[in-house]
Amino acid sequence: YAMLLSLIFLIVLVAAIVGFVFRHEIKTNFESNLNVALKDYNVTADRHSEAVDTIQRTLHCCGVQNYSDWERTEYFSQRGIPRSCCKNQNDCSEEDLKDPNKAKLKVFVDGCFFLVTSTMESKMSVVAGISFGIACFQLIGIILSCCLSRYITNNQYEMV
């Protein structure tokens, strides 16, 4: 049992170390994937477009770095900035969303990349605390199972 707990403990430890070491690559990949999602954004509700809309509505942001990122997309030439960027859905017309100067007043101007990464980093302390607590319980389990194993072994020799 101690060996099994030790193996699980090592797997969790390696996963935590790998996540910490490669956190910058995760950010870079997220930024490039968000750029691709903006470039491929379309009216038909595919998973990537829905994800972009959900992020923009939930975090009150627009684009990757800012709202002007939409100007470089094919969607902007057809329909302007998506409605998920609007501060007030009732006060956002398609004409306003096609004009970047008018849109600046109607949409969220902050980019989503910074907001998503800062939200993830703020939640990492909670995840780290929970992981540390689980690791402590695993270590206690390893120590207690080793003590139990020694106790059982000692008692068997005394009986003979």
Side-chain angles (χ1 to χ4, degrees):
Y1 183 71
M3 297 284 279
L4 180 66
L5 278 178
S6 298
L7 180 66
I8 293 171
F9 177 76
L10 288 175
I11 290 170
V12 170
L13 184 67
V14 167
I17 291 171
V18 167
F20 182 74
V21 169
F22 292 113
R23 70 184 183 279
H24 296 296
E25 288 184 32
I26 292 169
K27 279 185 178 181
T28 305
N29 285 338
F30 176 72
E31 185 175 17
S32 64
N33 287 334
L34 192 57
N35 277 317
V36 168
L38 254 66
K39 187 177 74 91
D40 296 338
Y41 185 88
N42 56 23
V43 182
T44 60
D46 67 331
R47 291 184 306 143
H48 300 291
S49 298
E50 286 180 19
V52 169
D53 286 337
T54 302
I55 289 171
Q56 290 181 153
R57 271 192 218 101
T58 305
L59 296 178
H60 303 289
C61 59
C62 190
V64 179
Q65 300 300 327
N66 58 34
Y67 76 99
S68 63
D69 293 336
W70 283 104
E71 294 175 34
R72 297 185 293 274
T73 65
E74 186 178 319
Y75 181 84
F76 181 81
S77 60
Q78 297 170 357
R79 297 219 168 144
I81 297 172
R83 294 189 64 82
S84 59
C85 285
C86 292
K87 294 176 185 176
N88 183 356
Q89 294 294 324
N90 299 329
D91 189 30
C92 234
S93 67
E94 193 170 316
E95 294 80 33
D96 292 339
L97 295 175
K98 284 184 178 181
D99 182 9
N101 295 325
K102 289 181 184 176
K104 184 177 183 178
L105 303 171
K106 307 266 182 173
V107 299
F108 304 114
V109 292
D110 296 329
C112 294
F113 175 71
F114 175 73
L115 288 173
V116 169
T117 54
S118 63
T119 302
M120 284 180 6
E121 287 173 357
S122 69
K123 304 295 183 198
M124 288 306 284
S125 61
V126 173
V127 171
I130 292 171
S131 299
F132 181 72
I134 291 172
C136 287
F137 280 118
Q138 284 181 326
L139 286 174
I140 290 169
I142 292 168
I143 292 167
L144 290 177
S145 65
C146 288
C147 292
L148 181 62
S149 173
R150 286 187 59 177
Y151 177 74
I152 291 172
T153 305
N154 288 339
N155 283 344
Q156 285 178 345
Y157 286 122
E158 289 176 8
M159 287 181 176
V160 177

